[in-house]
Amino acid sequence: TLDDEQIGNAKAIIAATKKAGLPERAAVISIATSLQESKLENLGHLGDMNDHDSLGLFQQRPSSGWGTPEQITDPAYSTTAFLKGLRQVDGWQDMPLTQAAQTVQVSAYPDAYAQWEQQAADL
């Protein structure tokens, strides 16, 4: 069950995906990625629990060039940044969600995205 913040963030991801002119599959990949990375919560700095300088819905890192902390914690910006990375993945539309998400995110747990695919599609 998602709370109002999580639902609002899912809607922001969908809106950014539509604005980018990408198909529903891009929104599903984006939402599943955010569910894995932050449970669809726009996370700020978590102190000792933080993975380096990861922030926002997608746990993007300013030090890795994703944007400033203010940009990364803006749902529209962070989704657009994720989608820009996704567009650079050849054949992302036809590959398994985990492979597409992992190619953009470079996670230590690449197979973890799969558990969120159905919920992301439902959203």
Side-chain angles (χ1 to χ4, degrees):
T1 304
L2 301 178
D3 64 24
D4 290 344
E5 176 192 0
Q6 292 168 303
I7 291 168
N9 289 329
K11 288 180 179 181
I13 290 170
I14 293 165
T17 304
K18 286 181 179 181
K19 185 175 181 180
L22 291 171
E24 182 178 322
R25 180 74 176 153
V28 171
I29 294 168
S30 299
I31 291 171
T33 300
S34 181
L35 280 164
Q36 174 58 34
E37 297 292 344
S38 70
K39 305 292 186 265
L40 279 173
E41 295 175 5
N42 196 10
L43 300 175
H45 196 279
L46 301 175
D48 291 340
M49 293 173 32
N50 219 45
D51 179 20
H52 305 286
D53 57 342
S54 301
L55 300 168
L57 296 174
F58 295 91
Q59 289 295 280
Q60 295 159 327
R61 298 179 58 196
S63 64
S64 295
W66 285 100
T68 67
E70 293 77 22
Q71 290 171 320
I72 292 170
T73 54
D74 175 88
Y77 177 92
S78 63
T79 302
T80 300
F82 176 82
L83 293 170
K84 181 180 177 185
L86 186 63
R87 283 183 177 178
Q88 295 173 2
V89 177
D90 288 333
W92 66 266
Q93 302 93 327
D94 300 317
M95 63 179 55
L97 182 142
T98 54
Q99 186 180 353
Q102 173 63 9
T103 304
V104 177
Q105 294 294 104
V106 192
S107 170
Y109 306 98
D111 297 325
Y113 301 108
Q115 66 186 316
W116 305 106
E117 187 165 7
Q118 187 58 57
Q119 185 176 3
D122 291 345
L123 288 168

